[in-house]
PDB file of all heavy atoms in Angstrom:
ATOM      1  N   PRO A1428       7.592  -1.975  98.697  1.00 96.00           N
ATOM      2  CA  PRO A1428       7.205  -3.396  98.422  1.00 96.00           C
ATOM      3  C   PRO A1428       5.758  -3.564  98.350  1.00 96.00           C
ATOM      4  O   PRO A1428       4.931  -2.920  99.085  1.00 96.00           O
ATOM      5  CB  PRO A1428       7.785  -4.130  99.647  1.00 96.00           C
ATOM      6  CG  PRO A1428       7.783  -3.072 100.690  1.00 96.00           C
ATOM      7  CD  PRO A1428       8.147  -1.798  99.972  1.00 96.00           C
ATOM      8  N   SER A1429       5.283  -4.491  97.529  1.00 94.00           N
ATOM      9  CA  SER A1429       3.901  -4.808  97.407  1.00 94.00           C
ATOM     10  C   SER A1429       3.826  -6.262  96.835  1.00 94.00           C
ATOM     11  O   SER A1429       3.576  -6.448  95.651  1.00 94.00           O
ATOM     12  CB  SER A1429       3.160  -3.870  96.381  1.00 94.00           C
ATOM     13  OG  SER A1429       1.772  -4.159  96.368  1.00 94.00           O
ATOM     14  N   ALA A1430       4.031  -7.243  97.758  1.00 92.00           N
ATOM     15  CA  ALA A1430       4.360  -8.580  97.381  1.00 92.00           C
ATOM     16  C   ALA A1430       3.199  -9.294  96.602  1.00 92.00           C
ATOM     17  O   ALA A1430       3.427 -10.176  95.822  1.00 92.00           O
ATOM     18  CB  ALA A1430       4.627  -9.389  98.735  1.00 92.00           C
ATOM     19  N   HIS A1431       1.980  -8.892  96.827  1.00 89.00           N
ATOM     20  CA  HIS A1431       0.851  -9.563  96.186  1.00 89.00           C
ATOM     21  C   HIS A1431       0.720  -9.276  94.677  1.00 89.00           C
ATOM     22  O   HIS A1431       0.135 -10.013  93.874  1.00 89.00           O
ATOM     23  CB  HIS A1431      -0.425  -9.464  96.878  1.00 89.00           C
ATOM     24  CG  HIS A1431      -1.157  -8.179  96.688  1.00 89.00           C
ATOM     25  ND1 HIS A1431      -0.815  -7.000  97.256  1.00 89.00           N
ATOM     26  CD2 HIS A1431      -2.203  -7.850  95.792  1.00 89.00           C
ATOM     27  CE1 HIS A1431      -1.596  -6.007  96.921  1.00 89.00           C
ATOM     28  NE2 HIS A1431      -2.477  -6.515  95.987  1.00 89.00           N
ATOM     29  N   ASP A1432       1.330  -8.136  94.286  1.00 89.00           N
ATOM     30  CA  ASP A1432       1.281  -7.735  92.876  1.00 89.00           C
ATOM     31  C   ASP A1432       2.501  -7.156  92.246  1.00 89.00           C
ATOM     32  O   ASP A1432       2.447  -6.607  91.041  1.00 89.00           O
ATOM     33  CB  ASP A1432       0.083  -6.719  92.720  1.00 89.00           C
ATOM     34  CG  ASP A1432       0.222  -5.423  93.473  1.00 89.00           C
ATOM     35  OD1 ASP A1432       1.290  -5.233  94.058  1.00 89.00           O
ATOM     36  OD2 ASP A1432      -0.601  -4.534  93.340  1.00 89.00           O
ATOM     37  N   SER A1433       3.556  -7.309  92.836  1.00 90.00           N
ATOM     38  CA  SER A1433       4.882  -6.780  92.272  1.00 90.00           C
ATOM     39  C   SER A1433       5.975  -7.830  92.581  1.00 90.00           C
ATOM     40  O   SER A1433       6.463  -8.019  93.664  1.00 90.00           O
ATOM     41  CB  SER A1433       5.289  -5.467  93.015  1.00 90.00           C
ATOM     42  OG  SER A1433       6.504  -4.989  92.543  1.00 90.00           O
ATOM     43  N   SER A1434       6.277  -8.565  91.582  1.00 91.00           N
ATOM     44  CA  SER A1434       7.161  -9.748  91.653  1.00 91.00           C
ATOM     45  C   SER A1434       8.653  -9.436  91.669  1.00 91.00           C
ATOM     46  O   SER A1434       9.447 -10.295  92.145  1.00 91.00           O
ATOM     47  CB  SER A1434       6.899 -10.570  90.486  1.00 91.00           C
ATOM     48  OG  SER A1434       5.615 -11.120  90.449  1.00 91.00           O
ATOM     49  N   THR A1435       9.125  -8.313  91.256  1.00 94.00           N
ATOM     50  CA  THR A1435      10.468  -8.043  91.033  1.00 94.00           C
ATOM     51  C   THR A1435      11.152  -7.127  92.026  1.00 94.00           C
ATOM     52  O   THR A1435      12.150  -6.384  91.686  1.00 94.00           O
ATOM     53  CB  THR A1435      10.704  -7.659  89.627  1.00 94.00           C
ATOM     54  OG1 THR A1435       9.897  -6.486  89.318  1.00 94.00           O
ATOM     55  CG2 THR A1435      10.521  -8.767  88.607  1.00 94.00           C
ATOM     56  N   HIS A1436      10.589  -6.925  93.150  1.00 96.00           N
ATOM     57  CA  HIS A1436      11.177  -6.106  94.270  1.00 96.00           C
ATOM     58  C   HIS A1436      11.183  -6.813  95.548  1.00 96.00           C
ATOM     59  O   HIS A1436      10.304  -7.635  95.880  1.00 96.00           O
ATOM     60  CB  HIS A1436      10.193  -4.834  94.433  1.00 96.00           C
ATOM     61  CG  HIS A1436      10.238  -3.917  93.197  1.00 96.00           C
ATOM     62  ND1 HIS A1436       9.259  -4.096  92.213  1.00 96.00           N
ATOM     63  CD2 HIS A1436      10.983  -2.957  92.807  1.00 96.00           C
ATOM     64  CE1 HIS A1436       9.409  -3.280  91.234  1.00 96.00           C
ATOM     65  NE2 HIS A1436      10.470  -2.471  91.565  1.00 96.00           N
ATOM     66  N   GLN A1437      12.260  -6.500  96.314  1.00 97.00           N
ATOM     67  CA  GLN A1437      12.520  -7.142  97.532  1.00 97.00           C
ATOM     68  C   GLN A1437      11.435  -7.004  98.551  1.00 97.00           C
ATOM     69  O   GLN A1437      10.786  -6.010  98.773  1.00 97.00           O
ATOM     70  CB  GLN A1437      13.821  -6.575  98.200  1.00 97.00           C
ATOM     71  CG  GLN A1437      14.222  -7.135  99.545  1.00 97.00           C
ATOM     72  CD  GLN A1437      14.541  -8.683  99.348  1.00 97.00           C
ATOM     73  OE1 GLN A1437      13.972  -9.503 100.061  1.00 97.00           O
ATOM     74  NE2 GLN A1437      15.495  -9.025  98.548  1.00 97.00           N
ATOM     75  N   THR A1438      10.967  -8.190  99.152  1.00 97.00           N
ATOM     76  CA  THR A1438       9.914  -8.224 100.145  1.00 97.00           C
ATOM     77  C   THR A1438      10.441  -8.885 101.516  1.00 97.00           C
ATOM     78  O   THR A1438       9.594  -9.111 102.371  1.00 97.00           O
ATOM     79  CB  THR A1438       8.681  -9.007  99.660  1.00 97.00           C
ATOM     80  OG1 THR A1438       9.121 -10.334  99.334  1.00 97.00           O
ATOM     81  CG2 THR A1438       8.184  -8.365  98.412  1.00 97.00           C
ATOM     82  N   GLN A1439      11.702  -9.050 101.600  1.00 98.00           N
ATOM     83  CA  GLN A1439      12.265  -9.733 102.784  1.00 98.00           C
ATOM     84  C   GLN A1439      13.605  -9.032 103.302  1.00 98.00           C
ATOM     85  O   GLN A1439      14.497  -9.812 103.709  1.00 98.00           O
ATOM     86  CB  GLN A1439      12.469 -11.272 102.559  1.00 98.00           C
ATOM     87  CG  GLN A1439      11.251 -11.919 102.105  1.00 98.00           C
ATOM     88  CD  GLN A1439      11.303 -13.440 102.229  1.00 98.00           C
ATOM     89  OE1 GLN A1439      10.940 -13.981 103.373  1.00 98.00           O
ATOM     90  NE2 GLN A1439      11.678 -14.217 101.168  1.00 98.00           N
TER      91      GLN A1439
END
Side-chain angles (χ1 to χ4, degrees):
S1429 182
H1431 78 281
D1432 61 3
S1433 178
S1434 295
T1435 49
H1436 297 90
Q1437 179 62 237
T1438 59
Q1439 301 200 87

